[in-house]
Amino acid sequence: MTSLRLGDTAPDFTADTTEGTLSFHEWKGDGWAVLFSHPADFTPVCTTELGRVAALKDEWARRNTKVIAVSVDPVDQHQQWKPDIEQVSGHAVDYPIVADEDRSVSEAYGMIHPGEGDTSTVRSVFLVDGSNRVRLSLTYPKSVGRNFDEILRALDGLQVTDAGPFSTPADWQVGDRVIVAPTLSTEDARARFVDVEEVKPYLRFTSVPAPA
């Protein structure tokens, strides 16, 4: 089973989906993508998860991010399931669901864990950046639904820290102060950023600069 590490190129694939045949890298373009697997159609936890992703449509768009789901079930079954998701969540499922019947996508991304009891996928999440690099991976067991607020928070953190010499502290949220990278001296940080606070020589906080 392939083990993808942070910084690796996300495997490209061409697959049948609920929105037709697509090639992953071409489909996502130079934006970000959330690729997430679900164990099976017509299951309770997955129904709530795919509905939640649909409800966050505007949030993904604001972050220049597309979403795509994967399971080993066929396209016709995905299509039959979509009305249930939409009824439960109140939101249209307007993103593709991959029909990975030959398990090639699931194997490439290490989404099948034999210790979980069968050949369906666990609840994997991959954040893929504009250069097709894996920037975050999460794996949840089949019995626990994902927290998509946390996935959005992590996406925000990655996009903020990509924009400057920063990292984010524990429990960071958009609007909170960020940590100045240790590669920058406090003196240099104060020359570049406003209200730099030195808590320790290695721990300095500042506000996120406004976009130019």
Side-chain angles (χ1 to χ4, degrees):
M1 182 172 62
T2 300
S3 178
L4 284 176
R5 295 168 296 187
L6 301 186
D8 287 352
T9 297
D12 197 11
F13 58 84
T14 298
D16 291 332
T17 80
T18 51
E19 296 188 359
T21 301
L22 63 77
S23 294
F24 179 54
H25 288 181
E26 179 183 5
W27 168 83
K28 69 172 284 298
D30 59 3
W32 290 65
V34 179
L35 174 69
F36 69 104
S37 57
H38 63 275
D41 298 351
F42 297 104
T43 54
V45 177
C46 299
T47 300
T48 65
E49 289 188 317
L50 271 72
R52 176 62 174 155
V53 170
L56 292 170
K57 174 183 177 179
D58 292 342
E59 296 298 325
W60 305 123
R62 284 200 301 123
R63 294 161 174 83
N64 189 29
T65 299
K66 294 181 176 181
V67 292
I68 184 168
V70 179
S71 88
V72 299
D73 294 324
V75 167
D76 60 345
Q77 189 164 301
H78 291 339
Q79 298 287 19
Q80 293 167 25
W81 180 37
K82 281 174 60 178
D84 286 2
I85 301 169
E86 294 169 3
Q87 180 183 22
V88 169
S89 69
H91 295 275
V93 178
D94 58 356
Y95 55 87
I97 307 173
V98 173
D100 187 32
E101 292 185 84
D102 66 0
R103 294 170 171 75
S104 59
V105 177
S106 303
E107 292 290 351
Y109 281 83
M111 294 170 167
I112 294 176
H113 294 200
E116 283 292 286
D118 59 27
T119 56
S120 64
T121 53
V122 293
R123 302 186 195 282
S124 298
V125 183
F126 294 91
L127 293 187
V128 182
D129 69 14
S131 299
N132 297 323
R133 291 183 302 152
V134 174
R135 300 297 301 281
L136 177 143
S137 63
L138 294 168
T139 302
Y140 289 71
K142 295 179 182 180
S143 60
V144 178
R146 282 164 281 214
N147 183 335
F148 286 95
D149 289 333
E150 165 59 15
I151 293 166
L152 281 170
R153 189 194 76 89
L155 178 58
D156 286 331
L158 284 167
Q159 293 185 347
V160 164
T161 57
D162 277 1
F166 311 118
S167 54
T168 60
D171 299 328
W172 177 87
Q173 299 286 343
V174 171
D176 292 350
R177 287 154 69 77
V178 292
I179 295 171
V180 177
T183 53
L184 206 62
S185 70
T186 299
E187 181 181 1
D188 288 343
R190 285 176 171 151
R192 292 181 58 177
F193 311 120
V194 298
D195 63 3
V196 173
E197 175 193 6
E198 183 180 277
V199 178
K200 295 289 183 182
Y202 56 86
L203 177 59
R204 292 80 46 83
F205 290 93
T206 189
S207 300
V208 177

